[in-house]
Amino acid sequence: MAERREQTALDEVLTRIGQVVMLHHAGDREEARSRFLDLWTEIGEDGDPLHRCTLAHYLADTQDDPADELAWDLRALTAARELPDGGPRGVPGFFPSLHLNLAADYVKLGRTEAARTQLDQARTAADALADDGYGEGVRAAIGRLELRLEKDGPGNGGPWGPPRQRPS
């Protein structure tokens, strides 16, 4: 009986997070950020790792400052790492997205090597993705960011350094 109540509470929090995600996707970024922060206060730094991971993941998307976005994405990854191996179905498939988001944050901040490290981790973690629309979408996003880093990287005349000589 206690396990059922715990599952119900888990579902209620995730439902509330989902409702705020819909608000954000409808275009009310400020209100979504405010409600997410209220939920974060309610859940707390020591709350359920799944709640913290999910909430921080979506809260990152409401940030105006790339450094704040990075901080929330790091919180999401930290919480995901606290989940037990037998955690909710699909959790391993969340790691590629978490690392991809961190890579994108680092690109925004001009931290190319950190971005490449996170992108490598996203690519490695992508083995856990199913061959479905979500998995294909994450893999495609990893590929796009890889191409961007190759195009803009230090060896290709991007903003991080001079072009290098290509072998003939």
Side-chain angles (χ1 to χ4, degrees):
M1 187 67 170
E3 185 176 317
R4 183 176 170 90
R5 275 183 288 199
E6 185 177 308
Q7 184 63 39
T8 300
L10 175 72
D11 292 344
E12 288 173 8
V13 172
L14 293 176
T15 297
R16 290 170 62 201
I17 292 169
Q19 291 168 339
V20 180
V21 168
M22 288 189 290
L23 179 68
H24 179 233
H25 288 172
D28 198 343
R29 183 180 178 138
E30 292 297 322
E31 181 65 20
R33 180 173 38 229
S34 175
R35 290 187 188 189
F36 278 143
L37 289 170
D38 289 344
L39 276 169
W40 185 263
T41 300
E42 182 181 322
I43 292 167
E45 291 284 334
D46 297 321
D48 181 275
L50 180 61
H51 294 162
R52 288 184 290 118
C53 176
T54 306
L55 184 54
H57 176 70
Y58 288 112
L59 191 49
D61 294 338
T62 66
Q63 301 305 304
D64 297 323
D65 183 332
D68 292 337
E69 186 174 358
L70 172 63
W72 284 108
D73 280 331
L74 287 169
R75 285 183 185 104
L77 181 62
T78 298
R81 288 180 173 154
E82 294 175 23
L83 289 165
D85 289 340
R89 186 174 156 244
V91 169
F94 204 42
F95 281 98
S97 177
L98 294 172
H99 287 293
L100 176 62
N101 287 348
L102 286 167
D105 295 341
Y106 285 124
V107 167
K108 290 176 193 173
L109 293 167
R111 296 176 57 188
T112 309
E113 287 310 308
R116 289 182 200 284
T117 298
Q118 288 300 320
L119 200 53
D120 287 343
Q121 291 180 31
R123 192 178 324 99
T124 300
D127 290 343
L129 294 172
D131 289 327
D132 58 10
Y134 174 76
E136 291 169 13
V138 172
R139 285 186 197 95
I142 289 169
R144 285 190 302 272
L145 191 54
E146 285 175 331
L147 289 173
R148 179 177 173 191
L149 284 172
E150 286 175 18
K151 177 182 163 232
D152 295 341
N156 296 323
W160 297 286
R164 71 175 165 218
Q165 292 296 132
R166 302 231 186 253
S168 307

